Amino acid sequence: MNKSILLIALLISLASCSSTQSTLKNTDDNAPNLTLSKDNTFLITAYSKDKKYGYDKDYPINIFFNNTKNETINQGRFLNALAGPNGEKITFTKLESCCPFPTKRSELGAGFLDVYELKWDGQKKPVVLYLNIYEKGILMIPVGLTLKK
């Protein structure tokens, strides 16, 4: 009897922690496919005007490209295309994976956002960006950053 109650409580708690609806606001399956430049970074031509783009977990930078088998290559392709606000060279570090959400592009049926910290010379506070390798969206440069020359 105690084992049955424990099992039921465990199942209820697991069900309450998982969501069947995504909270991501900026996915777009009709977004154009990403293309690579000759230096193996993503070609980005648009600048975001939305201050939440990339900085808020519900508005991640969607960098789905072909498949998600190599979990870090697309992050590098995006981040290596960026520069600081005045063209400064940036360095980046992955902090964590967080914020599970449902997706059809994962064998598990769920994806995680990758959280990256960006730094450059003269910066007062590091920038934190949320990247999503599972979904498509219009790829843009986040507010406050520029395109590497």
Side-chain angles (χ1 to χ4, degrees):
M1 176 94 169
N2 282 343
K3 288 183 182 180
S4 297
I5 292 171
L6 183 61
L7 181 61
I8 291 170
L10 179 63
L11 291 173
I12 289 171
S13 69
L14 287 175
S16 67
C17 291
S18 62
S19 173
T20 58
Q21 195 166 9
S22 179
T23 61
L24 304 181
K25 309 280 191 254
N26 60 338
T27 61
D28 181 358
D29 282 335
N30 297 317
N33 289 330
L34 300 177
T35 55
L36 294 173
S37 69
K38 63 182 178 194
D39 60 349
N40 204 31
T41 62
F42 286 128
L43 289 173
I44 310 168
T45 57
Y47 282 79
S48 177
K49 293 181 174 92
D50 185 347
K51 292 182 180 180
K52 291 181 181 180
Y53 178 77
Y55 297 101
D56 183 304
K57 66 181 179 181
D58 290 333
Y59 296 86
I61 299 162
N62 299 303
I63 54 173
F64 177 78
F65 181 74
N66 292 338
N67 67 55
T68 58
K69 297 293 183 197
N70 184 333
E71 294 183 4
T72 60
I73 194 166
N74 290 340
Q75 289 97 327
R77 288 171 170 165
F78 174 73
L79 295 168
N80 284 321
L82 301 178
N86 299 307
E88 299 93 343
K89 177 181 167 75
I90 64 167
T91 59
F92 54 89
T93 306
K94 182 177 178 180
L95 299 178
E96 65 178 328
S97 294
C98 74
C99 321
F101 60 91
T103 181
K104 294 175 185 163
R105 290 193 170 102
S106 166
E107 293 171 2
L108 299 174
F112 289 89
L113 300 179
D114 292 321
V115 184
Y116 278 81
E117 179 180 73
L118 281 63
K119 295 180 181 178
W120 56 85
D121 286 341
Q123 181 185 38
K124 291 183 174 125
K125 181 180 173 191
V127 167
V128 174
L129 293 178
Y130 293 87
L131 304 180
N132 175 6
I133 64 169
Y134 298 96
E135 304 300 330
K136 288 178 70 176
I138 305 295
L139 191 61
M140 297 181 279
I141 298 165
V143 170
L145 298 172
T146 59
L147 192 59
K148 185 191 284 182
K149 305 224 186 280

